[in-house]
Amino acid sequence: MTLENLSCQKSFGGWLKRYRHRSRTLACDMTFAVYLPPQAEQGGALPVLYWLSGLTCTDENFMQKAGAQRVAAELGLVIVAPDTSPRGADVPGDPDGAWDFGLGAGFYLNATEAPWSRHYRMHDYVVEELPALVEASFPVSDARGISGHSMGGHGALVCALRNPGRYRSVSAFAPITNPMNCPWGEKAFSRYLGEERARWREWDASVLIADAKERLPLLVDQGDRDDFLATQLKPEALEAAARAAGHPLTLRTQPGYDHSYYFIASFIEDHLRHHAAALAG
Ligand SMILES: N[C@@H](CCC(=O)N[C@@H](CSC=O)C(=O)NCC(=O)O)C(=O)O
């Protein structure tokens, strides 16, 4: 596996780097960002937090806007941010050029329907191929946490719920909680997975939680001034599903906050400390 370094910036004593590589899973070139705290130069293997961004994002949004590097440097936490979909000239996007499907909107699932199924396999990329690459290339351990925002917050929940033992910690900011029952999810799932709604259930966090094989505690922050709250995100669906399943959920409603990275930047420190504590064990 060859990694091509695209950029390198010193940040809080560590290094923010971007890489391109050929993805077998996605059948295209992919770019990801990694923050290596200062402890990465001292030997030893560090825990890793995988961050999944939301609709329209690339690997760059989180690293540029969340302000995570200072605390990650203090905690000795590596952060890896992949892109949000496959990319490239032969990767199909939304036929209408919309921003909520296709490029930048891979929904962290494995598509089953043509033409999407050839490239749109972000679940396997994020859960398997990327960690294998990261663990072979950087001084990291197999202590993995996962977090994300909106589409990526849901992706983090689903990656953890579908893969018991793979992650030691999980959290989300303003996640889509029940994509089977919101416009973003219905549009994406009907195309990526086909019209048969029964097949959508294996990619919906509020459904998966009922039969989860592992009860990893969920930390979720949600702003109450989020424009997408009532129509797309519906935290009450996750809350009800967690309660019914007896799954530990800390759902914090943050007054006055919207859906933006200003919200994420306000609470990222709490999430990083939550992950670092779990990953240290
Ligand atoms: N059309 C708008 C809205 C897109 C948007 O709000 N994207 C969010 C994620 S939404 C759910 O997955 C986002 O993170 N945007 C990037 C950012 O840096 O804020 C648009 O194109 O901005």
Side-chain angles (χ1 to χ4, degrees), residues 145-168:
I146 191 159
S147 185
H149 173 226
S150 196
M151 172 186 74
H154 181 259
L157 300 176
V158 167
C159 287
L161 290 166
R162 284 177 61 106
N163 297 280
R166 189 82 177 141
Y167 302 99
R168 294 190 197 170

Side-chain angles (χ1 to χ4, degrees), residues 32 72 117 126 129 139 150 176 239 258:
F32 70 90
S117 52
V126 162
E129 185 178 6
S150 196
I176 301 169
E239 198 169 31
D258 65 13

Side-chain angles (χ1 to χ4, degrees), residues 22-134:
R22 184 73 189 171
S23 166
R24 275 180 288 102
T25 307
L26 304 176
C28 63
D29 287 352
M30 289 296 284
T31 300
F32 70 90
V34 57
Y35 178 68
L36 296 162
Q39 296 86 338
E41 293 175 9
Q42 293 166 8
L46 302 177
V48 191
L49 176 66
Y50 289 87
W51 172 269
L52 307 184
S53 287
L55 295 164
T56 73
C57 292
T58 68
D59 63 286
E60 295 195 284
N61 297 66
F62 176 80
M63 295 297 187
Q64 291 178 352
K65 293 183 169 182
Q69 289 87 351
R70 178 183 60 80
V71 178
E74 177 200 320
L75 297 171
L77 190 59
V78 173
I79 305 178
V80 174
D83 203 344
T84 54
S85 76
R87 307 263 182 191
D90 66 337
V91 176
D94 189 295
D96 305 319
W99 55 266
D100 58 0
F101 178 78
L103 302 176
F107 270 82
Y108 305 102
L109 51 69
N110 294 334
T112 55
E113 302 303 295
W116 321 109
S117 52
R118 175 166 154 68
H119 297 286
Y120 284 83
R121 302 183 57 80
M122 287 297 289
H123 174 270
D124 283 2
Y125 174 70
V126 162
V127 172
E128 292 168 13
E129 185 178 6
L130 184 60
L133 181 60
V134 165

Side-chain angles (χ1 to χ4, degrees), residues 1 8 27 49 58 98 133 145 152 193 204 207 220 223 275:
M1 288 183 280
C8 181
L49 176 66
T58 68
L133 181 60
L193 303 172
D204 187 307
V207 175
V220 175
H275 286 279

